[in-house]
PDB file of all heavy atoms in Angstrom:
ATOM      1  N   ARG A 270      -2.181  14.415 -17.180  1.00  0.00           N
ATOM      2  CA  ARG A 270      -2.090  15.017 -18.506  1.00  0.00           C
ATOM      3  C   ARG A 270      -3.479  15.004 -19.155  1.00  0.00           C
ATOM      4  O   ARG A 270      -4.252  14.112 -18.916  1.00  0.00           O
ATOM      5  CB  ARG A 270      -1.154  14.140 -19.325  1.00  0.00           C
ATOM      6  CG  ARG A 270      -0.540  14.803 -20.498  1.00  0.00           C
ATOM      7  CD  ARG A 270       0.395  13.819 -21.189  1.00  0.00           C
ATOM      8  NE  ARG A 270      -0.223  13.384 -22.407  1.00  0.00           N
ATOM      9  CZ  ARG A 270       0.282  12.443 -23.201  1.00  0.00           C
ATOM     10  NH1 ARG A 270       1.369  11.786 -22.866  1.00  0.00           N
ATOM     11  NH2 ARG A 270      -0.332  12.140 -24.328  1.00  0.00           N
ATOM     12  N   GLY A 293       1.397  17.928   1.114  1.00  0.00           N
ATOM     13  CA  GLY A 293       2.110  18.025  -0.146  1.00  0.00           C
ATOM     14  C   GLY A 293       1.745  19.290  -0.896  1.00  0.00           C
ATOM     15  O   GLY A 293       1.397  20.297  -0.296  1.00  0.00           O
ATOM     16  N   CYS A 367     -23.554  30.556 -11.122  1.00  0.00           N
ATOM     17  CA  CYS A 367     -23.176  31.927 -11.485  1.00  0.00           C
ATOM     18  C   CYS A 367     -24.384  32.736 -11.934  1.00  0.00           C
ATOM     19  O   CYS A 367     -24.483  33.918 -11.647  1.00  0.00           O
ATOM     20  CB  CYS A 367     -22.081  31.903 -12.555  1.00  0.00           C
ATOM     21  SG  CYS A 367     -20.456  31.489 -11.889  1.00  0.00           S
ATOM     22  N   SER A 385     -18.161  34.615 -13.606  1.00  0.00           N
ATOM     23  CA  SER A 385     -17.802  33.241 -13.959  1.00  0.00           C
ATOM     24  C   SER A 385     -17.197  32.573 -12.731  1.00  0.00           C
ATOM     25  O   SER A 385     -17.006  33.220 -11.700  1.00  0.00           O
ATOM     26  CB  SER A 385     -16.824  33.210 -15.108  1.00  0.00           C
ATOM     27  OG  SER A 385     -15.578  33.734 -14.676  1.00  0.00           O
ATOM     28  N   ALA A 483     -27.700  41.101 -33.510  1.00  0.00           N
ATOM     29  CA  ALA A 483     -28.963  40.660 -32.882  1.00  0.00           C
ATOM     30  C   ALA A 483     -30.086  41.620 -33.244  1.00  0.00           C
ATOM     31  O   ALA A 483     -29.857  42.821 -33.423  1.00  0.00           O
ATOM     32  CB  ALA A 483     -28.792  40.605 -31.384  1.00  0.00           C
ATOM     33  N   VAL A 507     -33.192  31.928 -27.994  1.00  0.00           N
ATOM     34  CA  VAL A 507     -34.526  31.918 -27.396  1.00  0.00           C
ATOM     35  C   VAL A 507     -34.366  31.970 -25.881  1.00  0.00           C
ATOM     36  O   VAL A 507     -33.419  31.438 -25.328  1.00  0.00           O
ATOM     37  CB  VAL A 507     -35.267  30.639 -27.830  1.00  0.00           C
ATOM     38  CG1 VAL A 507     -36.695  30.645 -27.329  1.00  0.00           C
ATOM     39  CG2 VAL A 507     -35.248  30.512 -29.349  1.00  0.00           C
ATOM     40  N   ASP A 528     -29.468  22.560 -23.704  1.00  0.00           N
ATOM     41  CA  ASP A 528     -29.167  22.990 -22.335  1.00  0.00           C
ATOM     42  C   ASP A 528     -27.779  22.595 -21.863  1.00  0.00           C
ATOM     43  O   ASP A 528     -27.393  22.913 -20.736  1.00  0.00           O
ATOM     44  CB  ASP A 528     -30.224  22.415 -21.362  1.00  0.00           C
ATOM     45  CG  ASP A 528     -31.581  23.065 -21.556  1.00  0.00           C
ATOM     46  OD1 ASP A 528     -31.609  24.247 -21.961  1.00  0.00           O
ATOM     47  OD2 ASP A 528     -32.611  22.410 -21.313  1.00  0.00           O
ATOM     48  N   ASP A 610     -14.448  45.448 -22.922  1.00  0.00           N
ATOM     49  CA  ASP A 610     -12.997  45.622 -23.009  1.00  0.00           C
ATOM     50  C   ASP A 610     -12.225  44.345 -22.669  1.00  0.00           C
ATOM     51  O   ASP A 610     -11.056  44.391 -22.320  1.00  0.00           O
ATOM     52  CB  ASP A 610     -12.538  46.797 -22.121  1.00  0.00           C
ATOM     53  CG  ASP A 610     -13.026  46.668 -20.692  1.00  0.00           C
ATOM     54  OD1 ASP A 610     -13.728  45.677 -20.391  1.00  0.00           O
ATOM     55  OD2 ASP A 610     -12.731  47.563 -19.895  1.00  0.00           O
ATOM     56  N   GLU A 687      -3.055  31.388 -38.347  1.00  0.00           N
ATOM     57  CA  GLU A 687      -3.069  31.771 -36.926  1.00  0.00           C
ATOM     58  C   GLU A 687      -3.495  30.580 -36.034  1.00  0.00           C
ATOM     59  O   GLU A 687      -2.928  30.340 -34.973  1.00  0.00           O
ATOM     60  CB  GLU A 687      -4.099  32.909 -36.805  1.00  0.00           C
ATOM     61  CG  GLU A 687      -4.186  33.644 -35.512  1.00  0.00           C
ATOM     62  CD  GLU A 687      -5.361  34.615 -35.591  1.00  0.00           C
ATOM     63  OE1 GLU A 687      -5.443  35.404 -36.557  1.00  0.00           O
ATOM     64  OE2 GLU A 687      -6.232  34.551 -34.702  1.00  0.00           O
ATOM     65  N   ASP A 723       8.805  23.189 -46.288  1.00  0.00           N
ATOM     66  CA  ASP A 723      10.073  23.793 -46.731  1.00  0.00           C
ATOM     67  C   ASP A 723      10.810  24.445 -45.559  1.00  0.00           C
ATOM     68  O   ASP A 723      12.027  24.323 -45.437  1.00  0.00           O
ATOM     69  CB  ASP A 723       9.817  24.881 -47.791  1.00  0.00           C
ATOM     70  CG  ASP A 723       9.464  24.253 -49.126  1.00  0.00           C
ATOM     71  OD1 ASP A 723       9.713  23.038 -49.280  1.00  0.00           O
ATOM     72  OD2 ASP A 723       8.937  24.975 -50.013  1.00  0.00           O
ATOM     73  N   PRO A 746     -11.560  -1.993 -41.527  1.00  0.00           N
ATOM     74  CA  PRO A 746     -11.936  -2.291 -42.932  1.00  0.00           C
ATOM     75  C   PRO A 746     -13.413  -1.975 -43.125  1.00  0.00           C
ATOM     76  O   PRO A 746     -14.234  -2.328 -42.275  1.00  0.00           O
ATOM     77  CB  PRO A 746     -11.712  -3.813 -43.030  1.00  0.00           C
ATOM     78  CG  PRO A 746     -10.828  -4.161 -41.879  1.00  0.00           C
ATOM     79  CD  PRO A 746     -11.095  -3.174 -40.798  1.00  0.00           C
ATOM     80  N   PRO A 797     -27.943  26.469 -60.603  1.00  0.00           N
ATOM     81  CA  PRO A 797     -28.183  25.021 -60.758  1.00  0.00           C
ATOM     82  C   PRO A 797     -28.961  24.627 -62.006  1.00  0.00           C
ATOM     83  O   PRO A 797     -28.929  23.453 -62.381  1.00  0.00           O
ATOM     84  CB  PRO A 797     -28.913  24.643 -59.471  1.00  0.00           C
ATOM     85  CG  PRO A 797     -29.351  25.901 -58.812  1.00  0.00           C
ATOM     86  CD  PRO A 797     -28.473  26.983 -59.335  1.00  0.00           C
ATOM     87  N   VAL A 810     -36.199  20.005 -71.232  1.00  0.00           N
ATOM     88  CA  VAL A 810     -35.520  20.874 -70.261  1.00  0.00           C
ATOM     89  C   VAL A 810     -35.308  22.265 -70.877  1.00  0.00           C
ATOM     90  O   VAL A 810     -35.476  23.270 -70.211  1.00  0.00           O
ATOM     91  CB  VAL A 810     -34.177  20.239 -69.811  1.00  0.00           C
ATOM     92  CG1 VAL A 810     -33.383  21.214 -68.943  1.00  0.00           C
ATOM     93  CG2 VAL A 810     -34.418  18.941 -69.065  1.00  0.00           C
ATOM     94  N   LYS A 828     -25.755  25.466 -74.836  1.00  0.00           N
ATOM     95  CA  LYS A 828     -25.699  24.264 -75.686  1.00  0.00           C
ATOM     96  C   LYS A 828     -24.349  24.122 -76.341  1.00  0.00           C
ATOM     97  O   LYS A 828     -23.744  23.037 -76.351  1.00  0.00           O
ATOM     98  CB  LYS A 828     -26.752  24.387 -76.807  1.00  0.00           C
ATOM     99  CG  LYS A 828     -28.115  23.898 -76.420  1.00  0.00           C
ATOM    100  CD  LYS A 828     -28.921  23.660 -77.695  1.00  0.00           C
ATOM    101  CE  LYS A 828     -30.279  24.297 -77.622  1.00  0.00           C
ATOM    102  NZ  LYS A 828     -31.051  24.231 -78.838  1.00  0.00           N
ATOM    103  N   VAL A 846     -26.210  16.913 -58.064  1.00  0.00           N
ATOM    104  CA  VAL A 846     -27.410  16.243 -58.559  1.00  0.00           C
ATOM    105  C   VAL A 846     -28.649  16.782 -57.812  1.00  0.00           C
ATOM    106  O   VAL A 846     -29.690  17.061 -58.424  1.00  0.00           O
ATOM    107  CB  VAL A 846     -27.293  14.707 -58.372  1.00  0.00           C
ATOM    108  CG1 VAL A 846     -28.590  14.031 -58.761  1.00  0.00           C
ATOM    109  CG2 VAL A 846     -26.148  14.181 -59.212  1.00  0.00           C
ATOM    110  N   ASP A 863     -24.273  28.485 -49.109  1.00  0.00           N
ATOM    111  CA  ASP A 863     -23.813  27.093 -49.221  1.00  0.00           C
ATOM    112  C   ASP A 863     -24.970  26.110 -49.022  1.00  0.00           C
ATOM    113  O   ASP A 863     -25.635  26.146 -48.002  1.00  0.00           O
ATOM    114  CB  ASP A 863     -22.784  26.814 -48.129  1.00  0.00           C
ATOM    115  CG  ASP A 863     -21.394  26.870 -48.666  1.00  0.00           C
ATOM    116  OD1 ASP A 863     -21.234  27.181 -49.858  1.00  0.00           O
ATOM    117  OD2 ASP A 863     -20.449  26.558 -47.893  1.00  0.00           O
ATOM    118  N   ILE A 919     -45.389  18.628 -56.151  1.00  0.00           N
ATOM    119  CA  ILE A 919     -43.952  18.882 -56.152  1.00  0.00           C
ATOM    120  C   ILE A 919     -43.268  18.156 -54.989  1.00  0.00           C
ATOM    121  O   ILE A 919     -42.195  17.571 -55.153  1.00  0.00           O
ATOM    122  CB  ILE A 919     -43.651  20.401 -56.014  1.00  0.00           C
ATOM    123  CG1 ILE A 919     -44.043  21.140 -57.293  1.00  0.00           C
ATOM    124  CG2 ILE A 919     -42.210  20.674 -55.664  1.00  0.00           C
ATOM    125  CD1 ILE A 919     -43.000  21.057 -58.392  1.00  0.00           C
ATOM    126  N   ILE A 934     -27.643   4.842 -53.908  1.00  0.00           N
ATOM    127  CA  ILE A 934     -26.343   4.956 -53.252  1.00  0.00           C
ATOM    128  C   ILE A 934     -26.141   3.760 -52.305  1.00  0.00           C
ATOM    129  O   ILE A 934     -25.080   3.131 -52.277  1.00  0.00           O
ATOM    130  CB  ILE A 934     -26.231   6.302 -52.500  1.00  0.00           C
ATOM    131  CG1 ILE A 934     -26.156   7.457 -53.523  1.00  0.00           C
ATOM    132  CG2 ILE A 934     -25.028   6.328 -51.579  1.00  0.00           C
ATOM    133  CD1 ILE A 934     -26.383   8.842 -52.924  1.00  0.00           C
ATOM    134  N   ARG A 971     -28.927  -1.715 -43.616  1.00  0.00           N
ATOM    135  CA  ARG A 971     -29.219  -2.655 -42.521  1.00  0.00           C
ATOM    136  C   ARG A 971     -30.116  -3.787 -43.003  1.00  0.00           C
ATOM    137  O   ARG A 971     -29.973  -4.920 -42.569  1.00  0.00           O
ATOM    138  CB  ARG A 971     -29.829  -1.927 -41.339  1.00  0.00           C
ATOM    139  CG  ARG A 971     -28.768  -1.048 -40.692  1.00  0.00           C
ATOM    140  CD  ARG A 971     -29.169  -0.525 -39.326  1.00  0.00           C
ATOM    141  NE  ARG A 971     -28.042   0.244 -38.772  1.00  0.00           N
ATOM    142  CZ  ARG A 971     -28.161   1.324 -38.004  1.00  0.00           C
ATOM    143  NH1 ARG A 971     -29.371   1.748 -37.667  1.00  0.00           N
ATOM    144  NH2 ARG A 971     -27.102   1.960 -37.557  1.00  0.00           N
ATOM    145  N   ALA A 981     -20.392  10.198 -35.045  1.00  0.00           N
ATOM    146  CA  ALA A 981     -21.070  11.433 -34.603  1.00  0.00           C
ATOM    147  C   ALA A 981     -20.178  12.287 -33.710  1.00  0.00           C
ATOM    148  O   ALA A 981     -20.573  13.362 -33.289  1.00  0.00           O
ATOM    149  CB  ALA A 981     -22.364  11.075 -33.884  1.00  0.00           C
TER     150      ALA A 981
END
Side-chain angles (χ1 to χ4, degrees):
R270 202 179 107 185
C367 284
S385 68
V507 185
D528 289 331
D610 53 0
E687 189 186 308
D723 285 345
V810 173
K828 274 197 229 174
V846 175
D863 259 4
I919 289 279
I934 291 166
R971 290 194 176 145

